[in-house]
């Protein structure tokens, strides 16, 4: 008998912290039969949270991947972090997802962080279904949540279930498509699900809601529209097909509900993942570039040559693994692969599939799957692996500049190299962490994406690597630029190794637009026929070197330097050194005279509050030198959109809590480096 082709789904669960992602994931794993004892977040046994520290914090930081089987489907679940400091991790996981479940808290509806992640998912074209969790909580309001998806996320939610409350108690859901009441037996932790007749008192409402769902589908689906207009009965299959088409084209978002904690509604959610979210080969061909820098397309098929992306490097059970997403082709044990980012080949000796609580060795994997392989040499997140005869390089994963830094010091001298080693390991796993040594103080300087991000790194060094350390206060990473154009002439006479050398140079520095790297070039008037190339090179080296840092020692950016004139009366090694020094001094002096300015990281901040606190919050933002761009004023919820220097946002969560009595929330992301006085 021919083996039936299994359906593949690569999904992530995206949510605001505390919406219940870990709880719901645990339930999915449980019902899929992969974990046999159900773990609760509060007893720290969650299988999905690999790192001890995550358990302590109760937030999910790493993008661990896990695989389940459900009927005819294999579902790969990629865990996406919920905290704003880890947006790069979110981006990274969104790159390898085909679909996602957006999870919301049934009381809070759409929260700030869910908006950020939602719009990131839009950017990566990820198909979504929504699950309103925590329907058992007092005050949970399904219709409010559906509206908040429409209003805040500018999406088209289509409710395909309704919650059932009996005496204010959440008692399962009604499937609007089949018109059945689904109940979940608490005795078996929800394992036993029954589909029964809808109780009399809900029948009319369930019918009306079904009509509303079909109306919504008729607006976006021609087949449904035809049946609907002719008054024909619309079949269940037609509804499912239309919902799937709507999800894939992103014209609609099916909305389900339940309670992870009370084990209600999880199996229908897994069904919905397989019904509505796309299979890997249903997506448009993949784009990459070839060796001649030309954009090429690659079919997402297993018969095409191999193409895979390394999206995470992680140590699990003492094995250093690279997690890869296969987009095309087949990868078999002992295959030689070409890392087109690093331009090297190596053999893949083992392949592992990852279940939440165990690893399984397999002999091969194919297009669409996610697999782990032993990390080879310098392979890092963002690298492309492909067939050496069909080279393709995928766009690397976006990373933004680190904006927060902290100085750390080992408690004992012997620990210092160990801390450096630990940091190297962490940097390999997370390319948004950077570190260097301060040559004057011997301190190690760690840079990262935010306060919490740095805190997590320090915590890992302390607990995972068992290395005590002292840390300073976090500070923001600054840059420098200039505000004016300045021309500098400099002639020098110096005696160098008993040689008398005269050098002279003329340079002009001028400001470039924000967020451009420095440029250092020769004016066309400097002719190579008159001046020896060695002297030109020495002048350029001296200038380029001086162009790296501004007068206050911060990285210099957005600056152009043009050399107009060079003269040097010898070409000995000493003369070249003299030329380098003169060029460097002229450059530094030009920068000093061109009105240097410090650039700070500026953040886009959205603050969510109720109307009555608006005045106080705006006053506070003004004190923090924030620029308020827009205020959406509504009785239930107001939003302040502002640009604020990151430095002024340290510890903001506390202030916000005290002004709004705990009812406000905010989200923040990097905007640009700029001078504070532009605000
Ligand atoms: P995460 O931060 O999104 O991973 O959320 P967790 O799964 O860690 O859940 C956060 C808190 O909400 C925990 O205390 C959970 O027990 C609780 N929680 C999760 N799901 C539900 C639910 O459906 N109902 C209620 N009442 N609480 C829930
Ligand atoms: Mg969690």
């Amino acid at each position: 008998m021919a083996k039936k082709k299994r359906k593949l789904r690569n999904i992530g669960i995206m949510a605001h912290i505390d919406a219940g992602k870990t709880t719901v994931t645990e339930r999915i794993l449980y019902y899929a039969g992969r974990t046999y004892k159900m773990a609760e977040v509060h007893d720290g046994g969650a299988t999905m949270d690999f790192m001890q520290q995550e358990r302590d914090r109760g937030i999910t930081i790493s993008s661990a991947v896990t695989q389940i089987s459900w009927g005819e489907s294999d579902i790969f679940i990629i865990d996406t972090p919920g905290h704003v400091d880890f947006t790069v991790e979110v981006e990274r996981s969104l790159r390898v997802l085909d679909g996602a479940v957006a999870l919301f808290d049934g009381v809070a509806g759409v929260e700030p962080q869910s908006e950020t992640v939602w719009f990131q998912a839009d950017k990566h074209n990820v198909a979504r279904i929504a699950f309103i969790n925590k329907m058992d909580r007092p005050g949970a309001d399904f219709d409010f949540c559906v509206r908040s998806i429409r209003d805040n996320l500018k999406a088209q939610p289509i409710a395909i279930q309704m919650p059932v409350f009996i005496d204010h108690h959440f008692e399962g859901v009604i499937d609007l498509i089949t018109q059945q009441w689904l109940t979940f037996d608490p005795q078996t932790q929800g394992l036993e699900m029954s589909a029964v007749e809808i109780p009399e008192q809900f029948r009319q409402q369930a019918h009306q809601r079904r009509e509303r769902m079909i109306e919504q589908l008729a607006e976006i689906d021609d087949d449904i529209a035809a049946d609907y207009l002719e008054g024909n009965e619309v079949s269940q299959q037609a509804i499912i097909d239309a919902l799937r088409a709507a999800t894939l084209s992103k014209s609609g978002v099916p909305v389900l509900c339940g309670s992870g904690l009370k084990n209600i509604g999880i199996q229908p959610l897994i069904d919905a993942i397989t019904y509505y979210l796309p299979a890997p080969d249903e997506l448009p061909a993949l784009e990459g570039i070839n060796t001649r820098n030309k954009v090429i397309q690659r079919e997402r098929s297993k018969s095409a040559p191999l193409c895979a992306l390394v999206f995470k490097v992680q140590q699990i059970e003492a094995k250093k693994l690279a997690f890869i997403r296969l987009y095309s082709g087949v990868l078999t044990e002992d295959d030689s692969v070409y890392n087109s980012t690093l331009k090297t080949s190596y053999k893949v000796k083992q392949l592992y599939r990852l279940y939440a609580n165990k690893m399984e060795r397999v002999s091969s994997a194919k297009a669409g799957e996610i697999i782990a392989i032993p990390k080879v040499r310098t392979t890092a997140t963002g690298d492309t692996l492909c067939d050496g005869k069909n080279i393709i390089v995928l766009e690397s994963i976006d990373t933004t500049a680190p904006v927060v830094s902290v100085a750390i010091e080992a408690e004992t001298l012997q620990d210092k190299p160990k801390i450096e080693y630990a940091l190297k390991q962490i940097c390999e796993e997370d390319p948004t962490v950077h570190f260097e040594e301060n040559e004057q103080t011997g301190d190690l300087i760690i840079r990262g994406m935010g306060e919490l991000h740095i805190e997590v790194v320090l915590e890992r060094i302390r607990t995972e690597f068992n290395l005590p350390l002292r840390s300073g206060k976090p500070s923001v990473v600054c840059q420098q630029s200039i505000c004016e154009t300045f021309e500098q002439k400099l002639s020098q006479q110096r005696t160098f190794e008993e040689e008398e050398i005269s050098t002279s140079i003329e340079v002009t520095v001028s400001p470039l637009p924000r967020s451009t790297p420095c440029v250092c070039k020769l004016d066309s008037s400097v002719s190579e026929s008159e001046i020896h190339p060695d002297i030109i090179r020495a002048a350029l080296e001296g200038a380029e070197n001086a162009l790296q840092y501004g007068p206050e020692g911060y990285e210099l950016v957005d600056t152009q330097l043009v050399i107009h004139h060079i003269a040097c009366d010898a070409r000995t090694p000493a003369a070249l050194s003299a030329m380098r020094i003169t060029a460097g001094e002229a450059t530094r002096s030009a920068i000093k005279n061109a009105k240097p300015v410090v650039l700070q990281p500026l953040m886009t901040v959205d603050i969510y509050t109720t109307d009555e606190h608006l005045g106080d919050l705006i006053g506070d933002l003004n004190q923090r030198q924030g620029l308020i761009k827009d205020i959406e004023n509504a009785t239930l919820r107001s939003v302040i959109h502002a640009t604020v220097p990151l430095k002024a946002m340290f510890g903001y969560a506390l202030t916000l809590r005290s002004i709004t009595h705990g009812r406000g929330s905010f989200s923040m992301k990097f905007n640009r480096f700029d001078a504070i006085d532009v605000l």
Side-chain angles (χ1 to χ4, degrees), residues 15-24 41-42 58-60 133-137 258-262:
H16 188 271
I17 297 177
D18 279 350
K21 188 170 61 193
T22 305
T23 309
V24 168
V41 174
H42 49 255
I59 56 173
T60 304
N133 188 36
K134 302 201 185 184
M135 288 307 298
D136 60 300
R137 277 184 65 193
S259 161
L261 191 68
K262 297 285 157 68

Side-chain angles (χ1 to χ4, degrees), residues 38-56:
M38 205 175 309
E40 299 290 348
V41 174
H42 49 255
D43 65 37
T47 332
M48 199 66 177
D49 287 3
F50 277 110
M51 290 191 278
Q52 179 58 39
Q53 191 198 330
E54 268 192 69
R55 294 180 199 180
D56 297 343

Side-chain angles (χ1 to χ4, degrees), residues 300-318:
R300 294 171 184 256
S301 122
K302 72 173 186 196
S303 46
L306 176 74
C307 171
L309 178 78
V310 178
F311 70 98
K312 179 95 191 166
V313 170
Q314 197 175 34
Q315 178 139 338
I316 294 172
E317 293 176 11

Side-chain angles (χ1 to χ4, degrees), residues 18 60 73 113 217 374 484 498 500 557 565 584 594:
D18 279 350
T60 304
S73 306
Q113 185 60 22
L217 286 172
E484 286 173 0
E498 291 173 10
E500 183 78 16
V557 294
H565 162 81

